[in-house]
Amino acid sequence: MIERRMIIQDTPLEKLRENLKRLICIKFKNLYVLFDPETVSWIPISDDDIAMLREFYWGGYLREKKGFHLIGRMISSLIGVSYRIIYNKLLPYPSVYYLEITKGCNLRCVYCYIGSAPELLSYKGKMKVENWLELINQINTLGGREVIFTGGEPLLKYDDILSIGKYAKEHGLITSLITNGVLLNSKRVEELSRIIDNITVSLDSHIGSVNAVTRGYRETHRIIYYIKSLLEKGVNIYVNCVVTRSNVNSLTSFLDHLQKIGVTPDKIKFILMAPAGRALTLDHFSVNPMDLVKESFLYNLRMGVIPNHSRTAFNKFSRKYMCGASVSELYIDCDGNVYPCRMLVTKSGHLGNVLKNSLKDILDSSNRYNFVDSISKPNLKVCKDCIYRNVCAGGCRGNVIGSQGNLTDPDPINCIIVKNTFPLYMIVESYGLEVLRNLNDRNVFRQVEVVSSWLEEDLDLKKV
């Protein structure tokens, strides 16, 4: 009987052997995943599959049945033919717009990245309600999807929020609000629920004394009461928690408390202090990023949720070219100044002013195009050889400016998180939560091995 073998000449498979070299093997105990850094995709793979691919890579043939099945999976889910991205110089207009309604704030959080404080309450800003409404028209014309009211504390200008929010809602935009929650009351809950789709409450703990250390506010029971009231009104509620040494040990009880009132883990965002504003003097107050990752990971695992520390980063075939500043989001302050994002409110990041030029003219200007070129992945020299460069595209440029001052350096916080969590995430996403079901080990991340030399014939992966 003549043995049938796969013929790869003059087919897309002829490129497979060459493309195998770029794949990375992720190993956890006796489980394997092949990761393609170029397409940001991965598939689970067995010992037999690895042996078959090694034989093929070193000049052998792929037998029918298993060979066809394996290559079919790889073509549909992984590499197949060479992958290429063409960067479109015609930048899209942002879909999300942060509107800084006021610089003033009723609290003085110790780590505030923009330095908001009660001392700024008297600052009125140059943008009047009619200016904001005209901006809403422009955002709508340019295809904007969402406006996010922020500050300072936007509820300090409550009547303005009602007018602008109602107008944005009537024009089909998603309306969101970021607040510390202190100024909420029953009447406002009722009114906001009719015009605001999403409300993010900034709260560091359900324990008053813990929250007071960083935010200076103890009556957290009031905020939690109104969070529950908003949920009952059908508002999507998110909670931002800045993690510091003061609350890192009570995060689990905080999560449990929020769960009881209806805030699910996927709506809770843990944030490390951004290296900007008042936080620049608080190095002694910061926590190691991995301490946060471990707490969050194990909690999500206990709740039956696949741990994904960065909700938007770890997605198959989501190949990032840049952080998104001025492309997916834009920040407009209360004086009409336009910046790439809320973390890059700097002189070098200034793109224009909507009181002087139309939003379209600002977005079409060379200022924006030059800025995007400066932070795009090819210009991040340190990241060019990293296997996760297409997962995070160098991270947050705002974090970089705050900590190092060089816009083209990698994000020091994001680097630690992605390199330690993404390999394990691929394992769990591929094999299910069962592989970690009985695990309660904070050193689990060290048990994952990243093997770039997996094609070497004499390498025994079981001993790696």
Side-chain angles (χ1 to χ4, degrees):
M1 180 178 179
I2 299 175
E3 184 177 350
R4 297 175 61 189
R5 297 176 183 273
M6 299 180 76
I7 300 173
I8 65 169
Q9 286 81 9
D10 300 321
T11 73
L13 291 178
E14 65 190 3
K15 299 186 179 185
L16 179 58
R17 184 179 278 118
E18 182 65 22
N19 285 349
L20 283 175
K21 291 192 295 186
R22 78 179 186 223
L23 301 186
I24 307 295
C25 183
I26 309 297
K27 177 179 182 290
F28 178 72
K29 298 181 179 178
N30 62 339
L31 303 175
Y32 305 96
V33 165
L34 279 187
F35 166 56
D36 183 2
E38 289 303 310
T39 59
V40 189
S41 54
W42 57 91
I43 59 169
I45 197 163
S46 67
D47 287 334
D48 290 342
D49 292 336
I50 290 175
M52 193 184 307
L53 290 173
R54 280 176 172 170
E55 180 184 358
F56 170 67
Y57 177 76
W58 291 104
Y61 290 92
L62 287 170
R63 301 177 184 276
E64 203 173 354
K65 293 184 179 178
K66 281 189 176 181
F68 275 124
H69 177 68
L70 174 60
I71 298 306
R73 278 203 304 140
M74 296 184 75
I75 290 176
S76 62
S77 303
L78 204 57
I79 55 174
V81 297
S82 296
Y83 189 84
R84 185 168 62 121
I85 280 285
I86 299 175
Y87 178 48
N88 186 357
K89 284 291 184 179
L90 295 175
L91 293 176
Y93 294 129
S95 59
V96 178
Y97 293 80
Y98 286 83
L99 309 183
E100 181 200 72
I101 302 300
T102 176
K103 292 185 184 297
C105 189
N106 53 333
L107 299 182
R108 185 185 174 86
C109 300
V110 297
Y111 43 63
C112 183
Y113 67 91
I114 57 172
S116 291
E119 300 93 274
L120 295 172
L121 288 175
S122 60
Y123 186 80
K124 302 301 181 182
K126 298 176 182 177
M127 291 285 285
K128 309 304 179 187
V129 170
E130 56 267 28
N131 300 128
W132 287 119
L133 298 185
E134 172 54 29
L135 181 60
I136 294 295
N137 288 334
Q138 295 182 50
I139 290 172
N140 193 47
T141 299
L142 294 178
R145 180 179 59 85
E146 179 180 8
V147 290
I148 302 176
F149 303 115
T150 184
E153 171 50 54
L155 292 185
L156 286 167
K157 303 193 78 171
Y158 182 71
D159 290 340
D160 291 358
I161 290 293
L162 288 183
S163 299
I164 304 165
K166 183 174 183 292
Y167 191 78
K169 185 81 169 174
E170 290 172 348
H171 283 70
L173 295 173
I174 296 170
T175 53
S176 301
L177 171 75
I178 300 175
T179 175
N180 57 39
V182 174
L183 299 178
L184 288 171
N185 57 41
S186 297
K187 180 174 181 289
R188 289 182 171 183
V189 164
E190 180 66 37
E191 292 173 335
L192 288 171
S193 68
R194 292 196 289 265
I195 63 169
I196 302 295
D197 299 304
N198 309 297
I199 294 181
T200 297
V201 179
S202 300
L203 187 65
D204 292 347
S205 178
H206 61 301
I207 303 169
S209 58
V210 175
N211 192 68
V213 173
T214 51
R215 296 190 177 272
Y217 187 78
R218 289 178 176 273
E219 297 181 49
T220 53
H221 62 280
R222 286 191 68 259
I223 298 174
I224 290 171
Y225 172 81
Y226 290 120
I227 287 176
K228 186 176 179 181
S229 298
L230 286 164
L231 284 167
E232 290 171 351
K233 294 290 183 181
V235 179
N236 292 317
I237 294 294
Y238 299 82
V239 174
N240 281 351
C241 171
V242 179
V243 180
T244 63
R245 290 189 179 182
S246 67
N247 65 351
V248 68
N249 294 323
S250 60
L251 293 182
T252 298
S253 62
F254 185 32
L255 284 161
D256 286 338
H257 195 83
L258 290 174
Q259 279 255 103
K260 288 177 183 177
I261 64 170
V263 184
T264 54
D266 62 307
K267 301 290 182 68
I268 303 166
K269 186 177 182 180
F270 291 126
I271 306 169
L272 291 166
M273 288 193 306
R278 288 194 285 270
L280 290 174
T281 62
L282 293 176
D283 283 347
H284 63 286
F285 216 46
S286 63
V287 299
N288 186 306
M290 283 309 295
D291 290 338
L292 166 59
V293 167
K294 290 169 185 176
E295 289 296 326
S296 174
F297 181 92
L298 291 173
Y299 182 85
N300 280 320
L301 198 60
R302 179 159 63 86
M303 299 308 297
V305 178
I306 293 181
N308 189 350
H309 180 77
S310 184
R311 291 192 294 266
T312 60
F314 301 165
N315 296 305
K316 267 187 178 178
F317 302 112
S318 178
R319 191 179 192 269
K320 297 185 73 173
Y321 191 83
M322 56 171 291
C323 67
S326 86
V327 174
S328 60
E329 68 176 70
L330 205 67
Y331 186 92
I332 298 102
D333 75 6
C334 62
D335 289 320
N337 294 305
V338 179
Y339 298 96
C341 77
R342 62 197 184 281
M343 291 297 295
L344 288 170
V345 182
T346 62
K347 184 177 180 180
S348 61
H350 188 259
L351 300 179
N353 189 295
V354 294
L355 293 175
K356 298 177 180 178
N357 300 100
S358 72
L359 184 60
K360 185 179 189 303
D361 285 346
I362 294 171
L363 291 174
D364 289 340
S365 71
S366 59
N367 280 354
R368 178 178 176 237
Y369 277 72
N370 291 337
F371 172 80
V372 170
D373 278 341
S374 72
I375 68 167
S376 297
K377 195 167 50 188
N379 292 316
L380 308 183
K381 307 303 181 186
V382 179
C383 300
K384 66 183 179 65
D385 296 321
C386 177
I387 63 172
Y388 306 117
R389 63 190 178 278
N390 292 323
V391 177
C392 71
C396 172
R397 299 298 89 203
N399 282 344
V400 172
I401 286 290
S403 60
Q404 298 167 353
N406 189 341
L407 200 60
T408 60
D409 286 340
D411 176 354
I413 296 174
N414 199 65
C415 265
I416 294 173
I417 292 174
V418 171
K419 288 179 179 178
N420 282 278
T421 61
F422 186 51
L424 187 58
Y425 173 77
M426 287 188 282
I427 291 287
V428 177
E429 194 276 339
S430 297
Y431 291 97
L433 283 166
E434 290 71 24
V435 300
L436 302 176
R437 183 62 68 185
N438 299 317
L439 189 66
N440 192 31
D441 184 1
R442 283 172 171 75
N443 293 318
V444 64
F445 301 98
R446 296 181 182 177
Q447 299 176 36
V448 182
E449 295 166 273
V450 179
V451 187
S452 59
S453 55
W454 65 280
L455 284 170
E456 294 180 14
E457 291 182 292
D458 58 348
L459 180 66
D460 186 355
L461 282 176
K462 294 180 180 179
K463 295 181 180 180
V464 171

